[in-house]
Amino acid sequence: MTALRSRPARVAAIVLSLVLGLAAAVAWLNVRGEEDPSAAAAARAPTPELLARGAYLARAGNCAACHTDRGGAAYAGGKGIATPFGTVYAGNLTPDRETGIGAWSAADFWRALHHGRSRDGRLLYPAFPYPDYTLVTREDSDALYAFLRSQAPVRQATRAHDLRFPYNTQAALAVWRALFFSPATFHPEAAKSAEWNRGAYLVRGLGHCQACHAPRNAFGATQEDRELGGGLIPLQNWYAPSLAAPGEAGVQGWSGEEIVRLLKDGTSARGATVGPMAEVVFGSTQHLEDKDLWAIASFLRELPQQAPPARASEPASRDVLALGEKIYQDRCAECHGAQGEGRGSAYPALAGHRTVTMGSSANLVKVILGGGFPPTTGGNPRPYGMPPFGQSLNDDEVAAVASFVRGAWGNPASRVTALDVQRLR
């Protein structure tokens, strides 16, 4: 009888030991490699050269895109970033001591970038892309810190994140980090050129391209085994095409000049940037030095090619294609040509266009619904835009014209359904 009574106690003790062991492992995984910020050396004096370097790096990382709310002060935060788990609000990066980073040291700032931990010890949500920023060097981190500290302080408290349970708990975030994040350091590849390594550093680190151009798992973590392999941007419903697949956005067959022009001007003979990528060009890449744009081009051209995910291919019915052709001739042919041949650089050809033919129809539908607007840049100050048709065409009509374009003039892509359109509105 004594043995029978002690068995549940032994099982409970084993379970408790396992739980405590897992908790200890999660705790250790969340602090490994961290230094005590209070023991770090003082930051470098903010020389004009350091401030200019920091301003450039802030552009390269497109920091203002998230940390400046519409109509708000630069870098004062407050912008909501929608995720499948709720809304995360960007923090105040101005040097206000109470609501910004005025009380932060350079080591505190480095810990946020490299380890994803705030000055007060809180774990940061990866909507702030520290899984990519962890590759940023301490030298660049210090330059960014100096630049942000030079901004005018703005007293604006960061709004509390609006996340569902259990995603709003530090415990859940600690488990996520234990599973999907580890601090890393950028190590140049000896077999590659200095230019390629510079491009790899910018793309994988400060540029955080993987944050959009990679698929995510059910827990919101990017799938590292498909680097830059394309993914639907959560809740925005734009598809960030694969940079490793020539049939999507891969540039392995492009010249360096074509890639640089696209990143600098937002347009090239191969096409133009619209949607979220147009915002990146406007706020970030058009401001980069040519040598860095060439470095990015060098890295992207040598990406190992990946096959895009297989997608079901089903043709549209004759009635749908007939409706789509009529809409196309009435509303689209004047600019894009009766045979989808386009008109110069202003109106792209749709015959063979990758946005039209790739497996995901999301971007084509988004452009039909909301219009297509390349960014205003120094090299393209007056870009041509495409008007939206979301108010004048219903879901069936948008699906019909998208299906027609995806199957006409030798385009091999499958149909688009009204349900597809409804999901993307």
Side-chain angles (χ1 to χ4, degrees), residues 110-293:
W110 161 252
R111 186 167 72 161
L113 262 63
H114 191 64
H115 294 284
R117 188 184 296 275
S118 185
R119 177 176 181 268
D120 61 7
R122 287 180 302 107
L123 303 177
L124 298 173
Y125 284 92
F128 172 67
Y130 59 82
D132 304 281
Y133 289 167
T134 189
L135 295 178
V136 173
T137 65
R138 178 61 191 267
E139 182 181 19
D140 282 350
S141 174
D142 286 353
L144 271 169
Y145 169 79
F147 165 72
L148 293 171
R149 294 271 297 189
S150 73
Q151 302 301 294
V154 177
R155 185 174 295 274
Q156 178 171 285
T158 301
R159 292 178 59 182
H161 302 318
D162 184 14
L163 297 165
R164 300 188 305 278
F165 181 82
Y167 313 115
N168 59 351
T169 67
Q170 287 280 290
L173 183 53
V175 172
W176 185 93
R177 287 163 52 98
L179 292 171
F180 303 116
F181 169 70
S182 59
T185 301
F186 179 78
H187 296 288
E189 294 189 22
K192 298 291 188 179
S193 67
E195 181 180 65
W196 184 96
N197 277 297
R198 174 64 176 170
Y201 173 72
L202 290 169
V203 169
R204 289 171 170 165
L206 202 56
H208 62 284
C209 303
Q210 179 86 341
C212 288
H213 288 277
R216 293 180 178 269
N217 62 25
F219 301 100
T222 54
Q223 298 180 23
E224 300 299 325
D225 60 331
R226 289 189 60 83
E227 183 182 21
L228 303 173
L232 194 68
I233 302 175
L235 301 186
Q236 291 190 38
N237 290 330
W238 285 91
Y239 176 70
S242 171
L243 298 176
E248 292 197 355
V251 292
Q252 291 91 338
W254 290 33
S255 69
E257 290 86 352
E258 289 171 322
I259 302 170
V260 168
R261 185 180 176 196
L262 186 68
L263 294 173
K264 194 174 188 67
D265 297 343
T267 184
S268 76
R270 301 267 194 161
T273 59
V274 296
M277 190 61 202
E279 297 174 11
V280 172
V281 172
F282 178 78
S284 178
T285 58
Q286 72 161 318
H287 303 286
L288 298 187
E289 298 172 355
D290 283 353
K291 64 180 181 180
D292 278 343
L293 293 175

Side-chain angles (χ1 to χ4, degrees), residues 23-106:
V26 167
W28 177 81
L29 288 169
N30 275 278
V31 299
R32 66 194 186 282
E34 288 193 34
E35 301 173 0
D36 180 5
S38 63
R44 291 184 292 165
T47 63
E49 293 78 15
L50 185 66
L51 295 178
R53 178 66 178 164
Y56 180 80
L57 293 170
R59 288 282 199 184
N62 205 17
C63 304
C66 288
H67 289 278
T68 303
D69 202 5
R70 179 173 294 183
Y75 300 107
K79 185 173 183 178
I81 302 168
T83 79
F85 314 103
T87 302
V88 175
Y89 291 93
N92 183 347
L93 298 183
T94 73
D96 181 71
R97 287 192 64 83
E98 294 185 13
T99 65
I101 62 168
W104 289 43
S105 67

